Amino acid sequence: AASGPALAKRLIEALSLGARRQCVYTLVGFDTGLEDRSSLAPLFGVTRDLTRGDRFRPTGWAVSMLNQVIAGDLYQARMTKGADPRLLIAPFKGPRGWSLAVVSSANAARQVTLSFPNEKTRKPDRARVLNASAPLQGNDSEETIRPKPLALKKLSANRVQFTIPAYSLVILGPKELLP
């Protein structure tokens, strides 16, 4: 499960350093034998198999989620004093409004409050989470990890709040981006 948010973090970091085109290494990968093990080791492509269009591994869901919110220019988020450095926040401003990706590498859930500039640009009203709080779970035998709706509390016209689970990825955006 933790591979999805870890990949999202890596892709966002590269984007913030100027990488505009990024490719995920492997589309599919089942398993392979290893010299020092009698059992097979699973490989981690972004999809478990190609027979269904939505049988993603956590890395595939993370790429899909990022593609939903990267809908404009990347802005730098300013953190308040004392903010948790294990949270990575990537805000995007596009024609449909603000959207964000938030990745947590913290080992416990964190409450996040976001404040947006006092302008007429549309603010997020939906959120989805790829919950990786059980980091060793996966989607190889059954699909247990997939994006789910997340409660987003509107504090004011320019502030929202949510709780991000440990080791997870949250995306926020207007309903047109996150149906």
Side-chain angles (χ1 to χ4, degrees), residues 58-88:
T59 49
W61 283 119
V63 170
S64 174
M65 291 170 74
L66 286 178
N67 282 336
Q68 286 182 278
V69 296
I70 298 177
D73 296 324
L74 174 64
Y75 281 71
Q76 184 174 357
R78 286 183 281 153
M79 307 288 269
T80 59
K81 189 175 184 177
D84 193 332
R86 295 171 291 188
L87 295 177
L88 175 63

Side-chain angles (χ1 to χ4, degrees), residues 87 102-104 108-112 150 162-166 168-170:
L87 295 177
V102 182
V103 182
S104 174
R110 298 286 187 259
Q111 189 174 59
V112 178
L150 180 71
F162 62 93
T163 300
I164 185 170
S168 296
L169 167 65
V170 169

